[in-house]
Amino acid sequence: MKAPLPSVNPLRLLVFILMLLPLLALLGLGFFWLWQSGNLQYWLIAMVVCGGLGYGLQQWLVRQERQLLMDSSTEPNPEWPPSADEVWQRVEALAETCNPQDWPIEEGAWVMELGQKTLETVAHCYYPDVEKPLLELTVPHTLLIIERASRDLRQDVAEKIPFSNRLTIGDLFRLQRWKAKAERLFTIYRAGSLLINPVNALLSEAWRHLRERSFDQARDELHRWFLRAYVCKVGYYAIDLYSGRLPLGDEEFVTAPTPESKADLGQVEETAKPAIEPLRILVLGRSNSGKSSLINALFGTLTTATDVLPDTTQTLKPFVLSREGLTQALIFDSPGCDSALFDRQQMLAAAGNADLILWVTPANRPDRQTERDCLDALRATQAARTDRRAPPMLVVASFADRLRPLNEWQPPYDLAHPASSKATNIAAAVRVIATDLVVAVEQVIPVCLLPGKVYNVDDTLWAAILNHQDKALRVRLMRCLDARKRAEDWVMLRRQLAGAGRFVRDLPEILGKRTGQ
């Protein structure tokens, strides 16, 4: 049986009062001496100045702590798909409505109630037509969300709340129980002070009011931050789950090669296979636009076993691309989008598994309607997939050397401030291509792919590829998580069936032992 909390011992209370009386007498005598010596006004001025400075310093500390807590707040994951943006806004709106008076920390029920409210907010966004969307969560995933949120919140509390590693839950309950009694005793003391020394009591009341206001504000800020942090943590991992970023198995390597990349790597005559999923770079464009020549130029010195011949690609053909600064990648050559070998569905499927797309278009050809149609179909398919972010795309304007004047070719050219008619025409072609294909001008990079005269590939184009590498890695991560989740479903099913089979096999023996007992 749990022992009751100890009550107030009258003798101990008398000892405490007797020890406090000399201090109270000293305060009274000191105030009387100040009044008798004529220094009372100076003491009052000093008390007001010190009180104002202390209050101002306390307000500054509150703002500083508030900024510190805001800096440590949970941020949305940039790797989430577009569909998660609105969900995160709703989670933040819920966090802003958390009032410390509505969710007292000393009452343990707030943890489950506020967590359930957060999960329902997220679940309703993904299952708007379901009456109870929270029931769509599996038990293991629900436990995983609570586990992850509790782990992160534990770290934040341990690092940012003083004495959190010392105060126990019992201390909070004991403080709450003694709070009412302490307030009654303090009220008696305040009434006695008012009768004995009214002026000093009034000044003390004003000072106490300022002090309590400052400390209450700091306490409320900390309480409010704790509630918001809890809501954001639970909402963060709930969105992770519904967006496919929260698999159950933590022991597996997230970016392990996917089955698609393993099959593609099997077509490449390479002795060393990458231990992680390579970036998938897809080269698209019309026939005779220089797609294969661009791949050759990106390699610098061709490292594949078979030379890449222009305009002979019948299917997607992979090559391993390894260059300094770039995560090992698979780059795919493809048939022209205007050729008889082109399969639009194959192109859309390949683009769905790509992390970066290079679209090659001749700068000297104005007829781009076929390319525009293919790009519009690609963009429409990507926009329909709200569970994935579209891979970044760069448009490579080939044959820049064939623009007028034809006989002039003296690179490099400054397209921002063209000083020659060739540079002016190249800059104009870049703007026209951007308009025709509905892309940003910054995404169009003019190049020359002639053997021995390769221009703007190793500098501008390669810098653009590296600049988009982070976005491409995020797309790769989502691909790997999707593949891992599909594989995990089968692995979990096999484990569950195996466990159920063992239970059925051992059931007669278990029943026999119980019967024998």
Side-chain angles (χ1 to χ4, degrees):
M1 183 176 179
K2 188 174 180 180
L5 293 174
S7 60
V8 180
N9 190 326
L11 293 178
R12 292 185 182 275
L13 181 61
L14 179 61
V15 171
F16 175 75
I17 293 175
L18 290 175
M19 295 179 64
L20 191 63
L21 279 177
L23 180 62
L24 296 177
L26 181 63
L27 292 176
L29 292 174
F31 183 81
F32 178 75
W33 177 84
L34 289 172
W35 173 73
Q36 192 176 34
S37 62
N39 296 320
L40 180 61
Q41 65 273 21
Y42 301 112
W43 177 81
L44 292 175
I45 294 173
M47 189 183 71
V48 171
V49 172
C50 292
L53 291 176
Y55 181 76
L57 181 60
Q58 180 66 25
Q59 292 297 315
W60 178 78
L61 289 173
V62 168
R63 288 194 297 270
Q64 189 180 43
E65 291 174 357
R66 181 187 302 156
Q67 184 62 41
L68 179 63
L69 295 176
M70 289 178 61
D71 294 340
S72 64
S73 60
T74 305
E75 297 293 335
N77 195 327
E79 296 164 357
W80 282 341
S83 58
D85 296 339
E86 182 182 354
V87 185
W88 179 250
Q89 293 176 4
R90 296 194 182 185
V91 171
E92 288 186 321
L94 174 62
E96 289 296 325
T97 61
C98 290
N99 194 333
Q101 286 74 28
D102 299 333
W103 305 97
I105 293 182
E106 62 272 10
E107 297 180 7
W110 72 271
V111 177
M112 294 302 297
E113 293 178 5
L114 190 55
Q116 179 179 348
K117 190 174 183 179
T118 306
L119 289 175
E120 287 177 346
T121 300
V122 176
H124 183 72
C125 295
Y126 288 95
Y127 296 95
D129 300 327
V130 179
E131 182 179 358
K132 296 182 178 181
L134 191 58
L135 299 181
E136 301 298 323
L137 278 176
T138 66
V139 174
H141 282 107
T142 304
L143 295 175
L144 184 59
I145 290 175
I146 297 174
E147 173 194 334
R148 296 283 181 87
S150 301
R151 179 197 63 190
D152 292 353
L153 194 59
R154 171 181 56 81
Q155 295 174 350
D156 289 342
V157 169
E159 293 175 1
K160 297 176 177 62
I161 299 182
F163 306 109
S164 59
N165 60 325
R166 294 290 183 182
L167 290 174
T168 65
I169 303 298
D171 294 334
L172 294 177
F173 280 105
R174 281 188 287 272
L175 289 174
Q176 188 68 20
R177 178 174 178 177
W178 286 103
K179 181 180 178 181
K181 295 182 179 180
E183 286 180 348
R184 286 197 298 268
L185 293 175
F186 187 63
T187 301
I188 296 173
Y189 162 74
R190 289 162 57 193
S193 299
L194 186 62
L195 294 175
I196 297 173
N197 195 335
V199 177
N200 188 27
L202 291 175
L203 293 174
S204 299
E205 285 294 314
W207 169 243
R208 184 185 64 83
H209 176 72
L210 291 176
R211 185 179 65 251
E212 288 184 354
R213 181 179 176 184
S214 299
F215 285 106
D216 288 346
Q217 185 178 4
R219 181 195 60 193
D220 289 344
E221 285 292 334
L222 186 61
H223 191 170
R224 187 174 288 106
W225 167 84
F226 186 78
L227 296 175
R228 290 175 180 174
Y230 178 73
V231 170
C232 290
K233 293 294 184 185
V234 175
Y236 181 96
Y237 287 111
I239 295 175
D240 260 1
L241 169 64
Y242 286 108
S243 60
R245 296 194 67 259
L246 194 64
L248 290 173
D250 294 331
E251 70 281 356
E252 299 178 17
F253 192 43
V254 174
T255 53
T258 61
E260 294 84 358
S261 293
K262 289 180 180 178
D264 293 328
L265 288 168
Q267 303 179 36
V268 182
E269 297 181 10
E270 291 282 332
T271 56
K273 303 298 181 183
I276 63 174
E277 171 71 5
L279 280 179
R280 297 174 68 92
I281 303 175
L282 180 61
V283 181
L284 297 172
R286 66 192 305 167
S287 302
N288 299 314
S289 60
K291 298 188 300 297
S292 301
S293 299
L294 174 64
I295 294 177
N296 276 324
L298 287 174
F299 276 106
T301 301
L302 198 62
T303 58
T304 53
T306 306
D307 193 12
V308 181
L309 299 177
D311 305 313
T312 60
T313 307
Q314 297 182 3
T315 58
L316 295 174
K317 188 171 183 179
F319 301 92
V320 176
L321 177 62
S322 298
R323 286 190 62 164
E324 184 178 357
L326 180 72
T327 301
Q328 191 170 45
L330 277 174
I331 187 166
F332 294 83
D333 199 2
S334 64
C337 64
D338 56 348
S339 69
L341 300 174
F342 180 74
D343 185 341
R344 177 170 291 190
Q345 293 303 318
Q346 183 189 39
M347 182 269 291
L348 295 177
N353 283 322
D355 307 315
L356 175 66
I357 296 176
L358 300 179
W359 188 278
V360 186
T361 183
N364 62 329
R365 294 189 59 174
D367 52 326
R368 300 189 181 90
Q369 188 58 46
T370 302
E371 299 178 63
R372 171 68 179 275
D373 293 340
C374 289
L375 277 175
D376 286 345
L378 176 59
R379 284 188 282 250
T381 303
Q382 292 172 341
R385 293 203 62 178
T386 57
D387 60 333
R388 282 269 197 99
R389 293 195 181 273
M393 184 177 69
L394 296 173
V395 176
V396 181
S398 58
F399 303 129
D401 54 303
R402 298 186 185 181
L403 296 173
R404 295 179 183 276
L406 297 176
N407 296 328
E408 178 190 336
W409 184 247
Q410 296 177 349
Y413 294 102
D414 185 1
L415 302 185
H417 305 90
S420 64
S421 58
K422 189 78 168 183
T424 301
N425 290 334
I426 294 176
V430 167
R431 292 192 294 270
V432 171
I433 291 172
T435 302
D436 290 345
L437 302 183
V438 194
V439 295
V441 175
E442 295 77 14
Q443 291 179 258
V444 184
I445 302 172
V447 299
C448 175
L449 302 173
L450 288 175
K453 296 182 179 180
V454 175
Y455 165 68
N456 226 23
V457 174
D458 288 336
D459 42 19
T460 306
L461 177 59
W462 189 248
I465 291 175
L466 295 181
N467 188 45
H468 286 79
Q469 183 174 204
D470 287 343
K471 293 181 180 178
L473 289 174
R474 293 172 186 169
V475 177
R476 183 191 70 170
L477 177 61
M478 289 303 300
R479 280 196 307 103
C480 292
L481 286 168
D482 286 346
R484 178 181 173 184
K485 191 173 186 303
R486 290 193 300 269
E488 182 184 72
D489 291 340
W490 288 107
V491 171
M492 294 295 292
L493 180 59
R494 288 197 298 268
R495 291 178 180 175
Q496 292 163 359
L497 291 176
R502 286 192 295 268
F503 176 77
V504 172
R505 181 196 63 190
D506 299 336
L507 184 59
E509 182 179 353
I510 296 174
L511 294 177
K513 290 181 178 179
R514 291 181 179 178
T515 304
Q517 292 177 353

